Amino acid sequence: MAIHIENLTIGYRRRRDAKVVARGLSASVPSGELTCLLGQNGVGKSTLLRTLSAFQPPLEGRVSLLGRPLESYSIAELSRTIGVVLTEKSDLSNMTVRELVGLGRTPYMGFWGRLSREDLLRVDEALALTGITALRDRMIQTLSDGERQKAMIAKALAQQTPLIFLDEPTAFLDFPSKVETMHLLRRLTRDTGRTILLSTHDLELALRMADRLCVMKEGLRVGTLDELSADGTMAAFFADRGIGFDPSRKAYTL
Amino acid sequence: MKRRGWLMPALGAAIVVLGVANLLLGSVDIPFRAVLDILFGGGDDTSEVWRNIVLKSRLPQTLTALVAGAGLAVSGLEMQTVFRNPLAGPSVLGISSGASLGVACVVLVSGAGGHALSRMGYFGNMAMTIAAIGGALAVMALIAWVSQRVRGNVTLLIIGVMIGYVANAVIGVLKFFSVEEEIRAYVIWGLGSFARVSGDQVMFFVAAMCVLLPLSLLLTKTLNLMLLGDGYARNLGLDVRRARLVVIALSGVLTAVVTAYCGPVMFLGLAVPHLCRGLFATSDHRVLTPASMLCGAALALLCNLIARAPGFEGVLPVNSVTALIGAPVVMWVLFRKRKNDFAE
């Protein structure tokens, strides 16, 4: 199992108390697959991803990545284990795509931040895998949202981590770019054996492309679409929104 | 970066030319040969007056402008990166205000106590320097403390600005209870000048800056990561809280030392990093940090030269010159950038 969580409570610690976002989360995500995290707005998808990336400590419960407890990882080890693509839109400018992807090599750099031959090789490889080799000398501020998202994914690839977490990588993209991005991520799990976990609101795409779904609603359920359709999780996920789910066709009905 | 390789040597050459101009030009006409003789020994026919002017006035001023410009520019660059805000600079965050408060306390309170510092010469200067460093470091310590406790850089920036306001308010109150003569001494300090650092202090100032400036080069990797924002920086292995503290501390100390010796010199710290980003078309601190040092030094020398130009001497404070040059530079860079963005 790439990710294993047990009775996890996530949220924010405040001075005296804590603001709990979600509690009682338990799940296992297998290696080398594309897993889509689904859930309503505010259910805590981002908080869960932030907790799994060790940006914030869990309030209770345990997380283990690749069989090791999360808290046993040092910052340096984490940077070689998890790559992230976040929703925060960075206002980067005057930086080429290649320089950005090069920053993904930071965990392997020496003190002065100079890229070695190996680093440059990995950067080119990441650019090729994401299909943006032609954009490598463009400035970030001149890219479209979809191209920028691919550059961030290339950055995470150059980081050479077994795990990649993406927080809503398809938001703000036009439909073809959404499909392209999902295809790309799916292909990466196949070609490079990486474990990719992403949160998304694009249900249709998630149902079609994900190896496994991770449904966040009063707890966490992980399974293939077949499994979750059969045990009623998908139907329950849509039920109170007035949306039907047809388990035989494995599609939602309006 | 590769295309603009010639810019770095060009900046170096500009510094040499402006430095020499600073030694040569002034209200007293001293021939080039004589200046060389005075600086490098030899030729006993130079007059004592010339010797004094070059060694005790022009040389210290040139050295002061050189390192002060470099220091303010690097400090501004670091602040703009750590706060990810193009308007950050040494004078925000209240660090300059802290220095001003320190000086105001010493100058104005001593006046009220009957021991007017403005009439105490060397000792007075020394006290002002120490007060400025003390005030700036106090504010910086406060900011550093706050930076460990608040999320988000905008909050921190606003707190810094607020601390500045509080400091200025306290200065206002102090002024109200002070003797006019002391207020003048304070106001003159506040105008900023590269000329006030006297011969024996200049060595100390230059030595301090020679230690502090290279430290900025050690932060290159940290600063580059900070460009990505806290989340990405942390994911790439940066201890964001510690890094923020280190960068704020270093740029704060740079500002504090420069402000102590030269008064609050405005605009250099804000304008130079923008100018360098525009010139070199990069955000990479491996280029920007040295470029800002060179560009800041060159611009400070130019401003000092203009402030001393015939007809102005003693009248035009350095602060006015830096603002007159700095503000249009920033606007030009921003306009140009906008146009390029549309073109591509």
Side-chain angles (χ1 to χ4, degrees):
Chain A
M1 286 293 142
I3 307 164
H4 183 75
I5 61 181
E6 226 178 279
N7 200 21
L8 186 70
T9 303
I10 54 173
Y12 298 89
R13 231 180 276 278
R14 288 185 295 208
R15 197 153 296 169
R16 286 202 188 78
D17 54 346
K19 184 184 176 332
V20 173
V21 176
R23 64 172 80 237
L25 307 175
S26 298
S28 290
V29 175
S31 305
E33 292 190 353
L34 176 66
T35 305
C36 286
L37 177 59
L38 305 175
Q40 287 175 30
N41 280 328
V43 78
K45 297 188 298 298
S46 293
T47 313
L48 177 60
L49 285 176
R50 289 177 55 81
T51 308
L52 294 180
S53 320
F55 286 180
Q56 60 187 75
L59 297 179
E60 261 174 61
R62 300 189 322 149
V63 178
S64 70
L65 300 180
L66 308 171
R68 259 180 71 190
L70 181 59
E71 64 273 14
S72 74
Y73 284 88
S74 69
I75 292 184
E77 283 173 328
L78 280 172
S79 69
R80 292 181 202 149
T81 308
I82 309 166
V84 298
V85 175
L86 307 167
T87 39
E88 58 184 68
K89 198 177 169 182
S90 50
D91 44 0
L92 287 169
S93 60
N94 280 333
M95 183 188 276
T96 64
V97 170
R98 205 188 181 139
E99 284 174 328
L100 171 69
V101 178
L103 281 178
R105 295 298 299 169
T106 310
Y108 308 93
M109 281 176 192
F111 183 78
W112 296 104
R114 187 178 287 278
L115 292 171
S116 69
R117 189 192 294 267
E118 153 96 8
D119 290 330
L120 292 172
L121 223 62
R122 296 291 172 210
V123 169
D124 287 342
E125 189 182 278
L127 289 170
L129 276 168
T130 46
I132 52 171
T133 305
L135 301 177
R136 66 178 175 219
D137 292 321
R138 287 266 296 278
M139 293 285 186
I140 302 290
Q141 71 265 28
T142 67
L143 300 180
S144 72
D145 288 342
E147 292 168 336
R148 192 184 317 221
Q149 199 63 273
K150 281 188 200 160
M152 293 319 282
I153 294 172
K155 182 231 65 161
L157 280 177
Q159 212 175 329
Q160 292 230 290
T161 55
L163 306 175
I164 299 180
F165 299 155
L166 304 94
D167 196 2
E168 298 196 25
T170 53
F172 312 117
L173 301 184
D174 56 31
F175 191 71
S177 304
K178 280 181 203 277
V179 179
E180 216 184 332
T181 306
M182 287 293 259
H183 260 300
L184 166 64
L185 292 170
R186 190 181 150 96
R187 210 182 63 225
L188 289 176
T189 60
R190 305 290 185 273
D191 295 353
T192 67
R194 285 177 166 83
T195 305
I196 298 183
L197 174 64
L198 64 92
S199 66
T200 183
H201 287 291
D202 292 302
L203 287 170
E204 178 105 36
L205 270 176
L207 297 191
R208 284 200 199 182
M209 316 262 297
D211 294 308
R212 225 160 271 258
L213 298 171
C214 181
V215 176
M216 198 169 181
K217 185 184 185 186
E218 291 152 11
L220 209 53
R221 295 201 53 92
V222 181
T224 60
L225 181 55
D226 290 335
E227 291 164 11
L228 296 182
S229 303
D231 74 358
T233 306
M234 291 314 292
F237 178 57
F238 292 114
D240 56 350
R241 311 301 293 271
I243 301 172
F245 185 81
D246 182 348
S248 56
R249 286 198 300 127
K250 284 173 240 154
Y252 52 88
T253 53
L254 298 174
Chain B
M1 169 190 164
K2 281 166 207 144
R3 288 161 293 157
R4 321 243 174 167
W6 56 273
L7 262 169
M8 219 51 108
L11 279 176
I15 290 177
V16 173
V17 171
L18 287 165
V20 170
N22 263 283
L23 291 173
L24 283 180
L25 306 176
S27 47
V28 180
D29 221 359
I30 306 176
F32 185 57
R33 261 238 71 86
V35 172
L36 279 185
D37 283 346
I38 292 165
L39 285 178
F40 299 106
D44 306 319
D45 50 342
T46 49
S47 81
E48 193 59 28
V49 181
W50 285 0
R51 188 176 289 273
N52 268 335
I53 289 176
V54 172
L55 289 182
K56 297 223 168 117
S57 164
R58 288 186 192 174
L59 185 62
Q61 238 183 77
T62 308
L63 287 176
T64 305
L66 195 74
V67 291
L72 287 173
V74 166
S75 169
L77 174 69
E78 284 165 3
M79 298 233 180
Q80 285 170 11
T81 300
V82 75
F83 292 110
R84 300 209 294 139
N85 188 320
L87 286 180
S91 37
V92 298
L93 285 190
I95 293 172
S96 305
S97 304
S100 302
L101 181 60
V103 170
C105 279
V106 170
V107 173
L108 303 177
V109 172
S110 74
H115 304 283
L117 269 178
S118 52
R119 274 183 268 125
M120 291 171 84
Y122 178 73
F123 176 72
N125 270 335
M126 203 62 179
M128 269 161 82
T129 304
I130 292 168
I133 292 184
L137 290 184
V139 170
M140 213 199 64
L142 188 63
I143 295 277
W145 183 79
V146 172
S147 79
Q148 299 297 295
R149 269 153 198 81
V150 298
R151 258 172 215 285
N153 292 325
V154 177
T155 321
L156 188 55
L157 197 62
I158 293 171
I159 289 174
V161 173
M162 290 305 128
I163 291 175
Y165 279 128
V166 171
N168 283 331
V170 175
I171 293 171
V173 173
L174 282 175
K175 272 186 188 166
F176 181 77
F177 290 108
S178 303
V179 200
E180 196 180 333
E181 192 182 348
E182 297 306 318
I183 294 177
R184 188 175 308 133
Y186 170 76
V187 168
I188 288 174
W189 177 84
L191 291 175
S193 162
F194 297 128
R196 204 177 32 246
V197 186
S198 58
D200 37 351
Q201 278 183 47
V202 81
M203 280 308 144
F204 181 72
F205 176 55
V206 170
M209 295 302 281
C210 284
V211 173
L212 290 173
L213 283 173
L215 289 180
S216 306
L217 295 172
L218 303 182
L219 292 175
T220 305
K221 203 170 119 182
T222 303
L223 290 169
N224 276 341
L225 279 181
M226 282 182 157
L227 288 174
L228 293 176
D230 287 359
Y232 285 118
R234 153 116 216 191
N235 176 243
L236 288 166
L238 186 73
D239 184 342
V240 173
R241 257 163 47 132
R242 209 190 58 179
R244 197 153 69 148
L245 185 67
V246 170
V247 175
I248 292 176
L250 180 61
S251 62
V253 170
L254 275 170
T255 307
V257 173
V258 173
T259 309
Y261 282 98
C262 307
V265 177
M266 314 292 245
F267 251 106
L268 276 181
L270 178 63
V272 171
H274 285 295
L275 189 60
C276 289
R277 279 188 209 103
L279 284 176
F280 289 84
T282 183
S283 291
D284 188 347
H285 288 80
R286 269 177 295 174
V287 177
L288 279 185
T289 308
S292 293
M293 283 184 198
L294 295 178
C295 193
L299 217 54
L301 287 171
L302 180 66
C303 290
N304 191 48
L305 207 58
I306 295 175
R308 234 175 41 189
F312 287 149
E313 60 260 20
V315 187
L316 198 59
V318 162
N319 254 335
S320 312
V321 186
T322 52
L324 281 174
I325 292 182
V329 160
V330 173
M331 286 192 271
W332 171 71
V333 168
L334 293 180
F335 274 125
R336 220 180 57 117
K337 195 174 124 196
R338 197 24 79 77
K339 215 164 57 194
N340 283 351
D341 284 354
F342 285 133
E344 274 177 283

